[in-house]
């Protein structure tokens, strides 16, 4: 919060911007800088006017109130601070507008008596004043309306923003305006989806004219955006959902493959997840599934779909794939997020059992274990782990140790001691029950 001024990235050129009439009367004195910029040593400054000093102190009071979560007090100061929008210096007015936008939404979000109308008033005023951030403010306003379930109002906001033009300011916000265009299509998809849920019969959905209009608008807009290199996850998901509903599986697959494998697009694990899920739904061959998950593994070796990948590799029947499954499963357990996951350990145990039944794989298990032995004993099988792991997890891990040929370890001994104590308690409990009968 204290560094808000530096976050606004005010360029040095703004320090020499035109000053108001009040500032011009103090040309012989050092200036304190812009409205919210601290003085720079070694630079000639104009003296700070009374209005600007009041505004600066007001901003400090707002920051202090927000820092200590005094939201009602911060709102009162913000109401006073809006006077800075009338500053005659354009650069100062622009900075004040951005501060009001950022702090205003934060204060309203936490205010005990907040209402949607208050947000709408703030956003509308900021759009009209802060043209440099018009597109960003429009998007934020849209997201806020969506969070409150007002899809139609959000669509109206984006449609109005699409037609906004303000000289060089609109040209400099080309990327944001492109995103607004994309979200226009995405909101058409949301409206289409809400209409689909209103119908219980799929045939009624397919013949509904209003639904088809939303589909046409959304499909054209989203496919236009998706063709451009970028990360378009929600838009791809929506477009595929609509194409599958109208049984255009070929077009959906083509879109997903382009999104996943086009070299012009940035590397994106989700693209391969969407493609895999689509292939699963349409019963693609195991070879196609393996191909998709192989790329995903190279990008995110700790992804949850790696358990599916191991299963597919083992079932493929190819020795090379089966050997790779062991490496994938063991690599997975070397990530902190999987260390105590029973499913991951069970997957490794099944692979080891499968390998033990085949003589030509026994050597592979030994080689793989020797490479990882020192790391795994410290990472998974210390005495500390035996005190933290659940009984189910310890049981699987001990079986894994037996499969790799480690029959005696502190971890295993601790597990067996726990089992003996549990059996003793059960035996004592059974005797007591017999006695009381």
């Amino acid at each position: 919060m204290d560094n808000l001024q530096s976050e606004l990235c005010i360029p040095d050129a703004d320090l020499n911007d035109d000053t108001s009439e009040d500032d011009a009367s103090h040309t012989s004195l050092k200036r304190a800088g812009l409205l919210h910029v601290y003085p720079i040593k070694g630079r000639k400054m104009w003296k700070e006017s009374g209005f600007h000093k009041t505004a600066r102190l007001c901003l400090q009071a707002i920051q202090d109130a927000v820092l200590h979560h005094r939201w009602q007090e911060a709102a009162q100061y913000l109401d006073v601070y809006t006077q800075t929008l009338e500053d005659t210096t354009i650069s100062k007015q622009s900075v004040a507008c951005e501060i009001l936008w950022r702090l205003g939404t934060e204060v309203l979000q936490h205010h005990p008596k907040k209402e949607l109308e208050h947000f709408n008033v703030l956003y509308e005023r900021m759009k009209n004043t802060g043209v440099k951030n018009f597109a960003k403010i429009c998007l934020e306003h849209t997201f806020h309306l969506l969070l409150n379930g007002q899809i139609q109002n959000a669509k109206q906001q984006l449609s109005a923003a699409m037609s906004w033009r303000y000289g060089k300011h609109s040209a400099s916000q080309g990327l944001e305006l492109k995103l607004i265009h994309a979200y226009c299509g995405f909101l058409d998809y949301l409206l289409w989806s809400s209409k689909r849920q209103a119908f219980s019969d799929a045939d009624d959905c397919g013949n509904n004219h209003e639904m088809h209009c939303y589909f046409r608008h959304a499909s054209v807009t989203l496919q236009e955006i998706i063709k451009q290199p970028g990360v378009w996850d929600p838009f791809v998901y929506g477009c595929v959902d609509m194409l599958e509903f109208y049984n255009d599986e070929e077009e959906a697959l083509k879109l997903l493959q382009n999104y996943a494998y086009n070299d012009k697009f940035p590397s994106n694990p989700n693209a391969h997840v969407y493609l895999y899920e689509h292939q699963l739904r349409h019963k693609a061959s195991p070879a196609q599934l393996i191909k998709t998950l192989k790329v995903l593994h190279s990008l995110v070796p700790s992804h949850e779909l790696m358990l599916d990948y191991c299963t597919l590799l083992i079932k493929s029947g190819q020795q090379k794939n089966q050997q790779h499954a062991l490496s994938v499963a063991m690599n997975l357990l070397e990530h902190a997020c999987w260390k105590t996951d029973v499913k991951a350990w069970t997957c490794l145990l099944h692979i080891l059992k499968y390998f033990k039944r085949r003589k030509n794989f026994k050597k592979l298990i030994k080689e793989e274990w020797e490479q990882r032995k020192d790391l795994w004993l410290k990472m998974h099988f210390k005495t500390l782990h035996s005190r933290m792991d659940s009984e189910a997890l310890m049981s699987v891990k001990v079986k894994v140790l037996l499969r790799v040929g480690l029959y005696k370890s502190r971890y295993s001994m601790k597990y067996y001691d726990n089992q003996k104590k549990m059996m003793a308690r059960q035996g004592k409990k059974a005797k007591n029950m017999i006695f009381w009968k």
Side-chain angles (χ1 to χ4, degrees):
M1 185 59 65
D2 294 335
N3 251 342
L4 182 63
Q5 295 89 346
S6 62
E7 290 177 8
L8 295 177
C9 302
I10 303 164
D12 290 343
D14 285 347
L15 293 172
N16 298 321
D17 210 332
D18 297 333
T19 57
S20 64
E21 293 177 2
D22 194 9
D23 288 27
S25 62
H26 300 285
T27 55
S28 61
L29 298 175
K30 287 188 176 181
R31 184 181 175 191
L34 269 178
L35 183 59
H36 315 299
V37 180
Y38 297 115
I40 302 174
K41 293 182 179 180
R43 187 188 289 267
K44 188 175 181 179
M45 295 293 178
W46 298 96
K47 183 179 178 181
E48 184 179 41
S49 69
F51 172 74
H52 291 154
K53 181 178 180 181
T54 302
R56 178 171 55 79
L57 293 174
C58 184
L59 177 60
Q60 291 176 358
I62 296 169
Q63 292 173 329
D64 185 66
V66 170
L67 183 64
H68 295 92
H69 296 181
R70 300 194 301 268
W71 305 112
Q72 289 174 304
E73 180 184 334
Q76 292 172 350
Y77 282 120
L78 273 170
D79 191 39
V80 176
Y81 191 73
T82 55
Q83 297 178 31
T84 56
L85 296 177
E86 301 173 10
D87 199 301
T88 56
T89 308
I90 296 176
S91 60
K92 295 177 184 178
Q93 185 190 74
S94 177
V95 172
C97 178
E98 189 161 356
I99 288 174
L100 279 168
W101 164 40
R102 294 187 180 188
L103 285 178
T105 51
E106 185 71 17
V107 170
L108 280 179
Q109 190 65 38
H110 294 87
H111 200 283
K113 297 180 180 179
K114 64 182 176 184
E115 295 179 9
L116 181 60
E117 187 58 31
H118 296 155
F119 284 94
N120 291 338
V121 170
L122 174 66
Y123 283 125
E124 289 301 329
R125 186 169 187 183
M126 293 302 100
K127 285 181 207 173
N128 295 327
T129 311
V131 292
K132 288 185 177 180
N133 295 300
F134 179 86
K136 291 180 182 178
I137 295 171
C138 282
L139 281 170
E140 189 175 299
H141 192 190
T142 302
F143 296 151
H144 187 77
L145 290 170
L146 286 174
L147 287 172
N148 287 273
Q150 298 197 11
I151 300 179
Q152 288 287 1
N153 288 344
K155 182 70 168 64
Q156 291 172 7
Q157 287 290 333
L158 287 184
S159 297
M162 280 290 295
S163 59
W164 175 75
R165 295 294 182 272
Y166 199 85
K168 64 179 182 180
H169 291 298
S170 56
S172 65
Q173 299 179 55
L175 289 175
E176 289 84 357
L177 291 172
K178 184 188 292 185
L179 199 56
I180 285 175
H181 181 55
Y183 272 104
C184 275
F186 187 67
L187 289 189
D188 282 326
Y189 160 70
L190 292 180
L191 290 167
W192 174 86
S193 183
S194 64
K195 294 291 181 184
R196 178 181 61 176
Q197 293 171 5
F199 291 96
S200 56
D201 194 329
D203 292 333
D204 292 338
C205 291
N207 297 325
N208 185 270
H209 177 70
E210 188 180 7
M211 266 190 71
H212 196 71
C213 284
Y214 283 130
F215 161 71
R216 189 170 62 253
H217 292 315
S219 180
V220 170
T221 304
L222 294 179
Q223 291 198 51
E224 180 186 342
I225 290 293
I226 292 166
K227 287 177 182 176
Q228 304 175 43
V231 178
W232 308 111
D233 290 353
F235 310 133
V236 169
Y237 180 87
C239 199
V240 169
D241 188 27
M242 291 187 294
L243 290 171
E244 288 185 338
F245 179 80
Y246 290 106
N247 297 320
D248 196 350
E249 296 172 9
E250 185 178 343
E251 184 64 27
L253 180 60
K254 183 179 176 182
L255 187 152
L256 286 169
Q257 287 176 334
N258 180 67
Y259 190 53
Y261 297 122
N262 194 324
D263 293 335
K264 295 179 180 179
F265 283 67
S267 177
N268 180 10
N270 287 339
H272 302 280
V273 173
Y274 295 155
L275 177 58
Y276 174 74
E277 290 173 346
H278 174 83
Q279 291 171 330
L280 270 184
R281 287 194 296 271
H282 299 284
K283 299 179 180 179
S285 66
Q288 291 174 319
L289 297 175
I290 288 173
K291 179 184 176 182
T292 303
L293 291 180
K294 182 179 180 180
V295 180
L296 180 61
H297 175 258
S298 67
L299 297 173
V300 189
S302 61
H303 198 280
E304 59 185 1
L305 287 178
M306 292 306 103
L307 296 178
D308 290 7
Y309 187 37
C310 289
T311 303
L312 288 167
L313 289 172
I314 290 295
K315 289 183 177 180
S316 70
Q318 298 180 18
Q319 184 172 333
K320 184 179 179 181
N321 285 345
Q322 292 170 343
Q323 291 176 353
H324 186 48
L326 178 61
S327 176
V328 171
M330 297 188 82
N331 285 337
L332 192 66
L333 287 165
E334 289 179 4
H335 290 84
C337 55
W338 288 99
K339 280 179 61 176
T340 57
D341 190 274
V342 178
K343 288 183 179 179
W345 282 100
T346 304
C347 177
L348 175 60
L349 181 61
H350 287 162
I351 293 171
L352 292 173
K353 286 180 178 178
Y354 180 85
F355 280 18
K356 279 290 185 179
R357 294 195 295 267
R358 288 158 177 77
K359 294 181 179 179
N360 54 332
F361 283 156
K362 290 182 179 179
K363 184 179 178 182
L364 177 66
I365 295 175
K366 185 177 180 181
E367 290 175 355
E368 198 73 39
W369 173 248
E370 287 300 323
Q371 291 177 6
R372 305 172 189 261
K373 180 178 179 180
D374 293 338
L375 172 64
W376 276 49
L377 290 176
K378 294 176 181 177
M379 189 176 185
H380 299 298
F381 299 109
K382 293 179 71 173
T383 307
L384 174 66
H385 298 129
S386 65
R387 292 196 292 267
M388 297 171 62
D389 292 346
S390 64
E391 286 295 323
L393 179 59
M394 287 185 72
S395 174
V396 179
K397 289 173 72 172
V398 168
K399 290 175 183 176
V400 167
L401 284 176
L402 293 175
R403 294 289 175 178
V404 297
L406 192 63
Y407 300 101
K408 290 184 179 180
S409 68
R410 292 183 179 180
Y411 187 91
S412 301
M413 298 307 295
K414 181 67 177 178
Y415 170 73
Y416 293 135
D417 288 344
N418 291 344
Q419 291 296 303
K420 289 179 182 178
K421 290 177 182 178
M422 186 173 66
M423 291 176 65
R425 284 196 299 269
Q426 290 175 348
K428 187 176 181 180
K429 185 177 180 181
K431 286 182 180 179
N432 289 337
M433 290 177 67
I434 294 171
F435 174 79
W436 286 108
K437 284 181 180 179

